[in-house]
Amino acid sequence: MMHQASMASYLSAMYDPYIGTPAVEGMIQKRVPSTAPEAIQAVNDAEAALGYCRDEVLPELDGLDRDVTRPLLDLLDIAKTIQKTIVKRSHKLIDYDRHRLALAKLTAKQDRSFSEEKQIFKTETALDTATQDYEYLNNMLKEQLPHFFQLQSHFIQPVFERYYAIQVKIYGMIYARYHELFNANLNHFITNQMGIEDGFNYRKSQHDVRAEMENMDLLKSGGKAWLAASGGVNNSRLSLQERAALREQEKAGGMALSPPPAYGSSSSSPRMMNQYSTGQEKQQLQQQAWGPSSAPAPPAIANRTGGQYVIALYDYQAQADGDLSFRKDDKIELIERTMDQNDWWTGKLHGQTGIFPGNYVSEL
């Protein structure tokens, strides 16, 4: 019940109708899609109903401890005492048999010495004591155990009835609260009267959440699809040895190495057009970056290079047709570049020619 009440409070926070509004200073900003009013009302009613259940059930648990648990623990203590008495009776029986056999062995001799006569006297005394102890414990158990079992049966019956009554009362409280909750939100709990499988299929026909979750990039490839385009020690293409070396470099440098953004915002320089773009493609790229009415002059005139190479500082995965993919420390032949390192340059690697962000490489 405590876990259910806590879960209801979590759901109430998730279904908060004010999610998405500016957060109060010092509070956490929450954001989820808007929720239907019926769902908000249902989750608020559920939180209140489970809170009432918790407050009503807790006092009943005190009665359960007083009327059921503690009396049964006292009964167990009595049973342990009786068990110890039974064990002691068994030990006295062993002493009785030992002294009886020793006395029979001594009295069987025809010619006995003075020490043997003395030993017979001592054994008879010990046998008499062992006999009295054994008979006392044995008779007590035979007389009082049946009476104890009879009293135990009379004791268990009211305890069991009290336990049953407390259970019925607690379940009645919970049922009453849930019944009130369902009747107040019939438009939301529409699968309450259905079977489990029928209710599941109905909910699935209304909104297939599982299919939507499986199509999320966040959950693809074991939740690591985003690592393909990332750099630094979390890059999925790096070996463990390479990651460890990179961590050491980060510690020595006092800062974490992370790749700069490959694509700038709308206010940054337009993506560089290489020599393989047609005139129409260049015009479209200019219009996408600057708008059709204010297309400025292209960035600094590109310099064609020959035999010049650059070294990759980070991994880069092609994000559009014509991009050049590479890994950190790859040696790229530079074909064309601009004076601005934040522009797109043209290079060649492994027989492939394409453009890449200039701030991902360093000149050799």
Side-chain angles (χ1 to χ4, degrees):
M1 180 58 62
M2 297 293 290
H3 286 298
Q4 291 185 27
S6 299
M7 189 61 191
S9 64
Y10 298 149
L11 290 175
S12 179
M14 295 169 59
Y15 281 56
D16 187 353
Y18 298 102
I19 290 177
T21 59
V24 181
E25 184 177 358
M27 301 294 291
I28 299 176
Q29 176 68 45
K30 299 175 286 187
R31 54 182 181 87
V32 296
S34 59
T35 308
E38 295 83 0
I40 297 175
Q41 182 63 39
V43 76
N44 290 335
D45 291 347
E47 182 183 16
L50 290 171
Y52 289 139
C53 280
R54 178 184 55 198
D55 297 338
E56 293 170 350
V57 168
L58 283 176
E60 297 300 325
L61 297 181
D62 294 335
L64 180 68
D65 181 70
R66 181 187 66 250
D67 300 335
V68 178
T69 305
R70 292 187 180 277
L72 289 177
L73 291 176
D74 294 339
L75 178 62
L76 288 177
D77 291 337
I78 295 174
K80 289 179 181 179
T81 302
I82 295 175
Q83 184 64 34
K84 291 179 181 179
T85 304
I86 294 175
V87 172
K88 186 180 293 186
R89 170 191 171 277
S90 300
H91 292 167
K92 293 300 179 180
L93 178 61
I94 294 174
D95 293 340
Y96 167 77
D97 290 337
R98 178 166 56 85
H99 294 311
R100 183 173 55 82
L101 293 175
L103 180 61
K105 184 177 180 181
L106 289 173
T107 55
K109 291 184 178 181
Q110 297 294 333
D111 299 327
R112 295 187 293 269
S113 63
F114 177 76
S115 61
E116 290 175 340
E117 292 290 346
K118 186 178 180 179
Q119 184 67 29
I120 290 175
F121 177 77
K122 292 175 61 176
T123 304
E124 288 177 345
T125 303
L127 177 61
D128 184 60
T129 303
T131 302
Q132 293 179 9
D133 292 342
Y134 169 73
E135 289 181 350
Y136 169 75
L137 294 175
N138 188 57
N139 293 333
M140 181 179 63
L141 289 173
K142 288 194 299 182
E143 292 174 2
Q144 297 186 12
L145 270 181
H147 184 55
F148 169 76
F149 292 143
Q150 184 180 11
L151 294 176
Q152 183 181 15
S153 63
H154 291 298
F155 172 81
I156 288 295
Q157 185 67 24
V159 172
F160 177 78
E161 292 176 355
R162 178 59 178 160
Y163 178 57
Y164 177 79
I166 292 176
Q167 282 186 313
V168 171
K169 188 174 182 180
I170 290 177
Y171 290 143
M173 293 176 179
I174 298 175
Y175 176 81
R177 291 299 177 182
Y178 274 103
H179 186 269
E180 181 182 358
L181 173 64
F182 288 136
N183 287 337
N185 300 274
L186 292 176
N187 293 332
H188 183 73
F189 297 109
I190 55 180
T191 60
N192 183 41
Q193 301 299 328
M194 302 181 184
I196 296 178
E197 187 173 353
D198 294 337
F200 172 79
N201 291 330
Y202 174 81
R203 291 292 186 185
K204 185 177 180 181
S205 64
Q206 298 297 314
H207 189 188
D208 195 349
V209 179
R210 179 174 181 177
E212 293 186 14
M213 291 179 64
E214 291 176 349
N215 291 329
M216 294 175 64
D217 292 337
L218 182 65
L219 302 178
K220 288 182 179 179
S221 302
K224 297 182 179 180
W226 58 275
L227 287 175
S230 66
V233 298
N234 289 328
N235 196 304
S236 59
R237 296 185 177 184
L238 297 180
S239 64
L240 294 178
Q241 184 176 2
E242 292 172 337
R243 295 183 188 183
L246 191 54
R247 289 192 185 96
E248 294 298 329
Q249 294 178 6
E250 293 177 359
K251 292 179 181 178
M255 61 179 64
L257 299 176
S258 58
Y263 291 91
S265 61
S266 59
S267 60
S268 61
S269 299
R271 181 169 177 171
M272 194 186 94
M273 298 168 288
N274 57 26
Q275 70 273 26
Y276 300 102
S277 302
T278 65
Q280 183 178 2
E281 292 174 346
K282 292 179 179 180
Q283 184 178 3
Q284 291 177 351
L285 288 173
Q286 287 180 346
Q287 291 177 353
Q288 292 175 1
W290 303 97
S293 60
S294 60
I301 299 175
N303 298 325
R304 292 186 176 274
T305 61
Q308 185 178 355
Y309 290 86
V310 292
I311 188 74
L313 300 176
Y314 317 98
D315 288 358
Y316 177 71
Q317 185 69 25
Q319 302 180 19
D321 293 339
D323 287 2
L324 181 67
S325 300
F326 52 81
R327 296 181 61 183
K328 182 179 177 294
D329 296 331
D330 279 347
K331 189 176 180 182
I332 305 170
E333 182 181 357
L334 191 60
I335 298 178
E336 188 174 3
R337 58 160 294 177
T338 66
M339 301 303 296
D340 188 356
Q341 194 177 15
N342 292 322
D343 285 335
W344 291 82
W345 297 355
T346 304
K348 185 176 183 180
L349 178 66
H350 302 314
Q352 300 291 330
T353 301
I355 61 176
F356 59 89
N359 55 2
Y360 269 54
V361 298
S362 176
E363 298 183 25
L364 292 177

